[in-house]
Amino acid sequence: MNEVYEQARRAKEVAPALAALPTPEKDAALTAAADALTQRAAEVLEANALDLDSGRQAGLAEAMLDRLALDAARIEGIAGGLRQVASLPDPVGEVLAGRTLPNGIRLRQVRVPLGVMGMVYEARPNVTVDAFGLALKSGNAALLRGSKTARRTNEALVAVLQDTLAARGLPREAVQLLPSETHDSVRDLITARGLVDVVIPRGSARLIESVVTGATVPTIETGTGNCHCYIDASADLGRAIAILLNGKTRRVSVCNATETVLLDAALPAHDKLAVIRALQEAGVEVHGDVETHAAFGARVTPATEADFAEEYLSMDIASAVVDGVDGAIAHIARYSSGHTEAIAAQDADALRRFTSGVDAAVVACNASTAFTDGEEFGMGAEIGISTQKLHARGPMALPELTTTKWIMEGSGQVR
Amino acid sequence: MNEVYEQARRAKEVAPALAALPTPEKDAALTAAADALTQRAAEVLEANALDLDSGRQAGLAEAMLDRLALDAARIEGIAGGLRQVASLPDPVGEVLAGRTLPNGIRLRQVRVPLGVMGMVYEARPNVTVDAFGLALKSGNAALLRGSKTARRTNEALVAVLQDTLAARGLPREAVQLLPSETHDSVRDLITARGLVDVVIPRGSARLIESVVTGATVPTIETGTGNCHCYIDASADLGRAIAILLNGKTRRVSVCNATETVLLDAALPAHDKLAVIRALQEAGVEVHGDVETHAAFGARVTPATEADFAEEYLSMDIASAVVDGVDGAIAHIARYSSGHTEAIAAQDADALRRFTSGVDAAVVACNASTAFTDGEEFGMGAEIGISTQKLHARGPMALPELTTTKWIMEGSGQVR
């Protein structure tokens, strides 16, 4: 028997019980899990130390080791996340629509859990706990496929979560860790039709692409963010530069970081130059068309097609001069990953045309791309940022982990 | 250059213009298309006659020929469908959520078209026009892959639609027919990542499965309906039989037809017998466990696993005796396609347990499964019935052909 299918079958088996859990029971379990994580922090840190040792021996990059590393404060933060999810409204049972049909049938559309939710993600162990919390609160069973490098940490975390569930009479199978030794478990998860209701990949563009194109179960594409910031000739230049620098440098490794600056050709040369200089003074390497930039006095690194097409996730930015709003829209249509696109402008028509013409989850007018985030949007949590158009687009939280069920109440009606 | 990709590229090119169309322009185009269909009915019927001739020569079954056949009345019905879509509210531009963030950014979530919508469907030519109408009204470009047997009819219909668009200054590429000679065009359509935003298959279970599992673009699974009707011991037997017969015999070829009857073991023998006899008297062949049925006096055809697992789409029904509501839920969990599941019962607890325990798009309490339909639900139209859980579940109409865009309006905020 295939191990992943077997785990998925058990998840599906407990899903109806999870769907029927009253909100106070779910919230109490989340709070208890937060407490248990704090109490058993030593166990988790011990497992984490082993993962870090193996990672160092395997020559993992410092940035990767940092993503993997836990300490008491990080565990407290993870536990705090569970408490916050406990405090959010329960989406399950919400009535979204309803009417009485002319024949007397009462019809209503009610939010229900998706059922079994799979996550495929990379090193960060906090995703293990976050995904569990959001899944439980929305009444779903979670199948978690973390990275091999975080295996022992994830096992320790899931042991704490499962023990908490069991102590409260809830099924341990509400959260299960899938094998991470090989890619086989990913393949099995994304092809478990009839057992898995959705798979959400989180991580590199390559990971996401391989999950989405290889899956036969429904997936939600998340998080590849090749975000642009267009500076219109009508912009307040000081504010435009502030937005651009914030989007680029606040945290370079995240999906809402700005990766390309688009300069309106109509900007005066000294304004264009001021933008490029501000980036360079902040330590950002600018990649652009060398001649175009020289024409307004800026020196940049020569850009290739890949500079425009891919995320840097580093202190680099691509730069292009475009022909006004329409030029910006055309450039974005060609290279955007559909995450967040920003415009700095004061002209109302430019803002309106950009907002309607750009096809992305989020359009930021005179605001940093860094604001695309579930917590910033007031959702209280985030399982990922959808860059696809079906089901959810932009930051996803609890309601996005539900589906609906239509319920007809009749008295013997026939058609 | 791949022909389908080229068509998809042109669809994507015109999508922004379609997304920006004011409602009155869309409605006028729909009404004009309805008028044009009536005026040019002779052309369409001529093409249809050729398709019917080829179909007869190829030995197409009578039922298939009937699906394919048009006459003046059917064309009037198709045109009427366009007029009805014109009268429905435009979902584009609807603001679904909005708030002002603590930092002063005004955030709103607005409905926008998906962009490019693909349909893969079988013989019925009315789908060609229905899909165009719903796509245009929701601001989407439509790529239509109808069946080879309806090729000339579909070409004639699309010519009328495109001419109407062109005469009104709208892009002909708003609706394009894909080649139907081979399966290649389906494969190209469902793998055109970055060009196609959603593909909706409509037709046989095999067609739907092949599209959904072969696609790398987002798809919506529709219409396989292995619907059950459970008769609880607490049911009003007369009403239960009426619901069952209606669900089974109203139209046998549709996805909301009832395919299995589940009899509560606690029903008196004469009631169970009355149900089976009523089916048989209506001309329905009952497939069940021969011994179980003999025990209460009914003679049935022996049932195989396939009888329970597959849709008949004919005057046949599977029958099983189950152990109350829980037995019904377990049987349905094993065989359901997630479309519509009905219960006949008077006991409130039985109704409640069935409603919450069954995992399907629609649960019908004391009502026929035949009511699962966009028009019956008051949606005014229907592009298909989603049996998946993401994006849309149950009948889909105009709002289900849209996505959302978050728009932030700031004044230079940084994070």
Side-chain angles (χ1 to χ4, degrees):
Chain A
M1 182 64 185
N2 178 302
E3 187 175 354
V4 171
Y5 287 179
E6 187 52 34
Q7 289 178 290
R9 204 190 49 70
R10 286 199 298 269
K12 188 175 171 159
E13 225 165 69
V14 302
L18 298 174
L21 277 184
T23 309
E25 276 197 47
K26 295 190 279 194
D27 292 346
L30 291 167
T31 309
D35 293 344
L37 280 173
T38 310
Q39 283 153 19
R40 293 170 61 178
E43 257 173 72
V44 176
L45 292 176
E46 205 172 306
N48 189 242
L50 294 174
D51 279 337
L52 285 167
D53 278 351
S54 311
R56 266 185 220 102
Q57 280 164 29
L60 224 57
E62 266 314 309
M64 288 296 285
L65 290 170
D66 179 60
R67 282 179 171 216
L68 175 57
L70 293 180
D71 56 24
R74 283 190 176 181
I75 290 184
E76 238 353 280
I78 292 171
L82 288 179
R83 290 196 183 91
Q84 178 158 359
V85 171
S87 75
L88 293 175
D90 187 341
V92 177
E94 190 189 346
V95 177
L96 297 179
R99 58 185 77 96
T100 301
L101 305 184
N103 59 19
I105 290 178
R106 282 172 300 156
L107 180 69
R108 61 184 202 278
Q109 187 184 31
V110 183
R111 266 199 203 284
V112 296
L114 285 168
V116 178
M117 177 189 110
M119 287 279 297
V120 180
Y121 54 102
E122 288 172 342
R124 292 181 194 279
N126 65 301
V127 176
T128 305
V129 181
D130 290 354
F132 156 76
L134 290 165
L136 184 69
K137 182 72 182 236
S138 52
N140 293 294
L143 294 174
L144 306 178
R145 206 289 192 176
S147 75
K148 190 176 162 180
T149 48
R151 180 177 62 81
R152 280 164 292 202
T153 310
N154 285 336
E155 281 171 358
L157 290 168
V158 169
V160 173
L161 301 175
Q162 289 185 330
D163 291 351
T164 308
L165 291 169
R168 307 187 62 83
L170 301 178
R172 303 180 84 91
E173 293 80 5
V175 56
Q176 296 178 73
L177 198 64
L178 304 186
S180 56
E181 288 73 32
T182 70
H183 192 75
D184 291 0
S185 59
V186 175
R187 187 203 55 209
D188 293 344
L189 175 68
I190 67 179
T191 56
R193 274 176 70 75
L195 294 173
V196 172
D197 295 298
V198 65
V199 170
I200 304 175
R202 262 182 76 166
S204 70
R206 206 177 55 174
L207 167 85
I208 294 164
E209 181 76 8
S210 88
V211 166
V212 170
T213 57
T216 57
V217 302
T219 58
I220 300 179
E221 222 171 318
T222 67
T224 308
N226 192 19
C227 306
H228 299 74
C229 180
Y230 164 64
I231 303 181
D232 189 69
S234 72
D236 172 321
L237 199 71
R239 288 184 180 181
I241 290 174
I243 289 168
L244 173 63
L245 289 182
N246 183 255
K248 176 69 255 179
T249 65
R250 181 181 165 273
R251 278 177 69 191
V252 295
S253 65
V254 291
C255 61
N256 59 24
T258 303
E259 303 289 13
T260 299
V261 58
L262 300 174
L263 300 165
D264 188 347
L267 275 168
H270 57 89
D271 284 355
K272 289 190 198 116
L273 183 61
V275 172
I276 300 301
R277 288 226 172 118
L279 284 163
Q280 290 170 336
E281 278 160 21
V284 178
E285 185 170 343
V286 180
H287 304 254
D289 180 276
V290 175
E291 285 184 36
T292 311
H293 287 74
F296 59 82
R299 284 194 194 177
V300 299
T301 310
T304 63
E305 177 72 8
D307 285 292
F308 292 109
E310 288 165 25
E311 291 177 283
Y312 289 112
L313 302 172
S314 63
M315 284 291 271
D316 294 79
I317 198 165
S319 173
V321 175
V322 295
D323 195 8
V325 174
D326 292 335
I329 292 172
H331 181 103
I332 290 169
R334 180 158 173 201
Y335 296 110
S336 169
S337 62
H339 190 293
T340 302
E341 306 301 349
I343 176 174
Q346 302 212 79
D347 179 61
D349 185 58
L351 290 166
R352 193 190 51 73
R353 282 191 294 143
F354 188 87
T355 302
S356 80
V358 161
D359 190 21
V362 185
V363 176
C365 300
N366 295 308
S368 163
T369 57
F371 285 111
T372 297
D373 174 90
E375 295 222 23
E376 291 290 328
F377 274 27
M379 296 172 174
E382 182 188 290
I383 188 93
I385 294 177
S386 165
T387 54
Q388 70 175 41
K389 296 185 185 177
L390 292 190
H391 188 69
R393 200 179 193 199
M396 294 188 290
L398 293 169
E400 286 73 24
L401 297 179
T402 65
T403 181
T404 60
K405 188 191 275 188
W406 287 98
I407 297 166
M408 285 190 228
E409 291 178 333
S411 51
Q413 282 85 346
V414 295
R415 188 175 166 193
Chain B
M1 181 66 186
N2 179 301
E3 185 176 356
V4 171
Y5 287 179
E6 187 51 36
Q7 289 179 290
R9 203 191 50 67
R10 286 199 299 269
K12 189 175 171 159
E13 227 166 66
V14 303
L18 298 174
L21 277 184
T23 309
E25 275 197 48
K26 295 190 280 193
D27 292 345
L30 290 166
T31 308
D35 293 344
L37 280 173
T38 310
Q39 283 153 18
R40 292 170 63 179
E43 258 174 72
V44 175
L45 291 176
E46 205 173 307
N48 190 240
L50 294 173
D51 280 337
L52 285 168
D53 277 351
S54 310
R56 267 185 219 103
Q57 279 163 31
L60 225 58
E62 266 315 308
M64 288 297 284
L65 289 171
D66 179 60
R67 283 179 170 218
L68 174 56
L70 293 181
D71 55 25
R74 283 190 177 179
I75 291 184
E76 237 354 279
I78 293 171
L82 288 179
R83 290 197 182 90
Q84 178 158 0
V85 171
S87 74
L88 293 174
D90 187 341
V92 177
E94 190 189 347
V95 177
L96 296 178
R99 58 185 78 96
T100 301
L101 305 183
N103 60 18
I105 289 178
R106 282 172 300 158
L107 181 68
R108 61 184 202 278
Q109 188 184 30
V110 183
R111 265 198 205 285
V112 296
L114 286 167
V116 177
M117 177 190 113
M119 289 278 299
V120 180
Y121 53 102
E122 289 172 342
R124 290 181 196 281
N126 65 301
V127 176
T128 305
V129 180
D130 291 353
F132 156 76
L134 290 164
L136 183 69
K137 181 74 183 236
S138 53
N140 293 292
L143 295 174
L144 306 178
R145 206 290 192 178
S147 74
K148 191 175 161 182
T149 47
R151 180 177 62 79
R152 281 165 292 202
T153 309
N154 286 336
E155 282 172 357
L157 290 168
V158 169
V160 173
L161 301 174
Q162 289 185 330
D163 291 350
T164 308
L165 292 169
R168 307 187 63 83
L170 300 178
R172 303 180 84 90
E173 294 80 5
V175 55
Q176 295 178 74
L177 197 65
L178 304 185
S180 57
E181 287 73 32
T182 70
H183 192 76
D184 291 359
S185 59
V186 175
R187 187 203 57 211
D188 293 344
L189 175 68
I190 67 180
T191 56
R193 273 176 71 74
L195 294 175
V196 172
D197 296 298
V198 64
V199 171
I200 304 174
R202 262 181 78 168
S204 71
R206 205 175 57 173
L207 167 86
I208 293 164
E209 181 77 8
S210 88
V211 166
V212 170
T213 58
T216 57
V217 302
T219 58
I220 300 178
E221 222 172 317
T222 66
T224 307
N226 193 17
C227 306
H228 299 74
C229 180
Y230 165 64
I231 303 181
D232 189 68
S234 73
D236 172 319
L237 199 72
R239 288 184 180 182
I241 290 174
I243 289 168
L244 173 64
L245 289 182
N246 183 254
K248 178 67 255 181
T249 65
R250 182 182 163 274
R251 276 177 68 189
V252 295
S253 65
V254 291
C255 61
N256 59 25
T258 303
E259 303 288 13
T260 298
V261 59
L262 300 174
L263 299 165
D264 187 348
L267 275 167
H270 57 90
D271 284 354
K272 290 190 198 113
L273 184 60
V275 172
I276 301 301
R277 288 224 172 120
L279 285 163
Q280 290 170 335
E281 278 160 21
V284 178
E285 185 168 343
V286 180
H287 305 254
D289 179 274
V290 175
E291 285 184 37
T292 311
H293 286 73
F296 58 82
R299 284 195 193 176
V300 299
T301 311
T304 64
E305 178 72 7
D307 285 293
F308 293 109
E310 289 164 26
E311 292 176 281
Y312 289 111
L313 302 172
S314 61
M315 285 289 272
D316 294 79
I317 198 165
S319 172
V321 175
V322 295
D323 197 7
V325 174
D326 292 335
I329 292 171
H331 181 102
I332 289 169
R334 182 157 171 203
Y335 296 109
S336 170
S337 61
H339 191 293
T340 301
E341 306 301 351
I343 176 174
Q346 302 211 78
D347 179 62
D349 185 58
L351 290 166
R352 193 191 51 72
R353 282 193 292 142
F354 188 87
T355 302
S356 81
V358 161
D359 191 19
V362 184
V363 177
C365 300
N366 296 309
S368 163
T369 57
F371 285 112
T372 297
D373 174 88
E375 295 221 24
E376 290 292 326
F377 275 26
M379 295 172 173
E382 182 189 289
I383 188 93
I385 294 176
S386 165
T387 53
Q388 69 174 42
K389 296 183 184 179
L390 292 189
H391 188 68
R393 199 178 194 202
M396 295 189 288
L398 292 169
E400 288 72 25
L401 296 179
T402 65
T403 180
T404 60
K405 188 191 274 187
W406 288 97
I407 297 167
M408 287 190 225
E409 290 178 334
S411 50
Q413 282 86 345
V414 296
R415 189 174 164 194

